[in-house]
Amino acid sequence: QVQLVESGGGLVEPGGSLRLSCAASGFSFSTATMTWYRQVPGKEREWVATIARDGASPRYADSVKGRFTISRDNAKFTVYLQMNSLKPEDTAVYYCKAVGPLLKYNYWGQGTQVTVSS
């Protein structure tokens, strides 16, 4: 069955780094556009970054541009989010999402908690 499993979250001090991973299975990962979102309790889910199926043209929300990097390894069926210079306002549950060609499918992971605090 389809699975997207996020990992790598945790507690980090301001200015620190984390790398999130999202491991995919059960669908054609190499044809999916992959996106990271985040959500704080009581707020809408916020778009963070998107990467095309071939890894080209990554796009970022202004709030993370220059600090976060999205990448993917199609051979490992995994998308990553390298987060540097973390700020307390980056605290959220981070989710990955897979969207198929022509919006054929739309899958979400279960999320991983990132907490930035001293």
Side-chain angles (χ1 to χ4, degrees):
Q1 73 277 21
V2 171
Q3 280 194 309
L4 288 172
V5 180
E6 299 96 335
S7 61
L11 173 63
V12 63
E13 293 187 345
S17 298
L18 282 175
R19 188 174 85 152
L20 305 183
S21 299
C22 173
S25 61
F27 65 98
S28 181
F29 178 78
S30 63
T31 66
T33 296
M34 298 301 298
T35 299
W36 286 97
Y37 288 82
R38 64 187 182 186
Q39 189 169 24
V40 174
K43 293 190 176 181
E44 290 190 359
R45 197 164 290 190
E46 176 191 17
W47 170 68
V48 175
T50 295
I51 189 165
R53 55 189 180 180
D54 61 356
S57 306
R59 295 180 288 118
Y60 300 93
D62 287 343
S63 58
V64 307
K65 201 172 293 183
R67 300 187 298 121
F68 290 12
T69 302
I70 188 171
S71 62
R72 66 191 294 163
D73 186 337
N74 286 347
K76 295 183 177 179
F77 310 108
T78 302
V79 61
Y80 304 98
L81 187 67
Q82 178 67 43
M83 306 187 295
N84 298 329
S85 302
L86 282 160
K87 305 175 182 179
E89 51 263 45
D90 294 318
T91 295
V93 177
Y94 284 71
Y95 299 88
C96 67
K97 175 183 173 182
V99 177
L102 303 177
L103 307 181
K104 185 176 180 180
Y105 56 79
N106 180 350
Y107 305 133
W108 288 91
Q110 84 291 345
T112 186
Q113 175 71 48
V114 171
T115 302
V116 185
S117 174
S118 55

